[in-house]
Amino acid sequence: MERTASNQINRILFYYDLKPYNYTPHGQLTRIDTIAGSFALKEKVLNDRQIRNLQTVYDLSRRLVIDAVCPLPSKYGDLVIQDSGSSWYLMPWLDETVDDSDFQERYRHLFVKAGQLHMQTRGKAVDCTSLDQGMMRVLAQRQRIWELFMYQAEHHVYPSPFEQAVLSKAFIYLENMQRARNFFSQEKNDNGKQKTLRYALCHGRLSPLHLLIENERVRLTNFENSEDGFFIVETATLFEQASAMLEPEQANWRDFYRSYQSVCPLSSEEQAFLLHFLLFPGAHARLLDQYMHATNQVNEQWFVRQWTKLCRAHQIMYTAIKKEIDEENEIRAARQAKEKSGEEGHAEEEHAET
Amino acid sequence: MIDDHAAVLSAAAAHFNFGRIRVVSDQPLLIETERGMKKIRVWENNALLKIHLKWRERVSGDQFLVDRMYVTRAGYPLVRLGRLSVTCHDAPSLLFKQEGNEKTLAQLIDYLFQNSRGIPAEKPVGSYNAYVHQLYEQTKNSESVQQSEIWSMVSACFSSACARAETADRLRKAHHGRSTVFLLPEDFSYHSFFSLFDTIFFEIGQSRPVNGYGRIAAFFLDKSLMCSEQSMHRLFEAVRENGSMDREMVDLLLAEWYEPAEWVRLLHYGASSRVQDNDLIIQEFRKIWDRKIKLIKVFESIVMQP
């Protein structure tokens, strides 16, 4: 019995009692047109854990806790169909109104949706010692790449243009990494208490392409890697990713930060984590590593251009977020001082009356 | 029952989200809906339903389709209707054509060997040899059987039947005491297989799960009577190529063929005074007896090859 591709699609759609009159490949998806509507069929290799993650998000979405585009359940109740060694799932087809390449617009929505996801599923603050230890390991790994690069560059009689470009900025990044190391190695916060951060459901693969925008309706999708975790890590990673993806002058970082903060206000400890996480960007270390491991003729110009862009974008992003957080903290401190003086004045008045 | 019938249909329409329903047949209950033909099953035995739900979970895979339960709007695989439970299933109509598709059939059989396992509904059989002896001794003294043509055949084959029963007992003995065994539905037959989009749709149905070796042995026997010899060869070769038939499977399958059940049936006919057509019965007995011996030889020559 020979198996054909068209019958495979029909077999998958049999799980949904759907009979297609047309189907067309659309990138990684297949658009399925039926008399019951249009659907997106996706083939992907998923493990049991990823299928369980999809089920969790489906349950949350069904209870309207989060707004997500989830796989549709089959007539047997499965979210994922297993067929011939692969996994398939069906979703409603959305005609997107924002182009895939419009990253600026997509990131603008993504920060809001990420904030909503974290806010709607957040839990209590818990001890984050293990996270700090993990951060120290990541930091050490990136520091090693820097040290290796510096060692090689400093031993060249004539450093290459890229090496010169990196060396000129190295002292800033090495100092930043040291500041981050100091922060993550502290066991207590500024108030002398155990450091804590909040848990929430994290998407796991936040990306401007894992967002479906249809007019005013914006929803996250591709939740197979989602799991509970310290959500500030996902937020910080998103900022880092956006700085590597967007053109330096293109992004309005203060707006991104404000839009996230307005739906999911960060605690002072989370803000401190974010600022220190952004001090040792992964994209920079990856570029250095790529340069060191380049086997063919190295395109110096390309590396220099990438480096300049990354540094500029990172500087703009970091400065903007830092400024925003500082201003926020100043306003908060002023408000607290005002409240305190108000309370003291009130107490003095009461005292004078008695 | 008419009230029950109406209630079942109304529950199916409401819970399984069917817009329109037209009853096509009552036994089994087949309904035509806007989403195609569906089979509605009514369960009086909830324990059996529970077994079937778990069984389907184990048997469902990515290679074949199984008559799984549809879920209701609320996500449950059944609808409670007083003491009854109602489930909804697919109802494909195109029977699987075995001739020429032996490889696919062998893959399904192999898959069932691996995954359709559990505790059978019936108790394990004792010594078949003792049963054959006991039955023969009990019946032979009856005066009515002595003169019949059937009884002559029963007597002539007694020693062979004992030898076969002994072989069956010996083959089974090595695999006694297993906690789970290979299971198949009690009504398993070639009517359990349908063709659907280049694959087999296997209908587990609603009957008790019983020792699968007996059912699959009977299935192979029926197939050998219906299909060509080449088809049988191709099926056994495909089973061998899959490579997952272990000693237990081979022994227990052979034991089913060695078991002289056709001789026991003949003995019962011989003891009955109502039998009309002796020749036809003897002819049928000979056909199955010879076919089993041939099947054992073919199976051993193909599947048990080193």
Side-chain angles (χ1 to χ4, degrees), chain A residues 14-17 73-79 81, chain B residues 12 15-18 35 37-61 64-80 85-92 185 201-209:
Chain A
F14 171 76
Y15 283 81
Y16 301 90
D17 271 345
S74 76
K75 59 190 177 187
Y76 308 127
D78 310 313
L79 288 184
I81 309 299
Chain B
H15 291 274
F16 297 113
N17 211 9
F18 297 129
R35 283 156 53 194
M37 196 76 84
K38 309 292 168 198
K39 192 175 270 184
I40 302 294
R41 292 202 171 102
V42 180
W43 305 75
E44 291 182 7
N45 183 344
N46 281 321
L48 181 65
L49 172 57
K50 212 171 162 184
I51 289 170
H52 268 264
L53 283 167
K54 283 191 176 164
W55 193 5
R56 279 167 173 80
E57 255 177 51
R58 282 197 301 273
V59 169
S60 302
F64 307 98
L65 297 164
V66 177
D67 62 333
R68 293 171 63 191
M69 282 75 174
Y70 280 30
V71 290
T72 61
R73 286 177 180 190
Y76 299 111
L78 55 100
V79 180
R80 290 253 185 253
S85 295
V86 178
T87 58
C88 178
H89 307 259
D90 296 298
F201 179 95
F202 174 52
E203 193 171 62
I204 294 180
Q206 202 172 359
S207 58
R208 299 184 311 160

Side-chain angles (χ1 to χ4, degrees), chain A residues 9 12-13 28-30 32 39-43 88-90:
Chain A
I9 289 190
I12 306 296
L13 295 178
Q28 291 184 317
L29 301 171
T30 304
I32 308 285
F39 301 90
L41 182 64
K42 187 165 185 179
E43 182 185 7
W88 302 71
Y89 59 82
L90 194 73

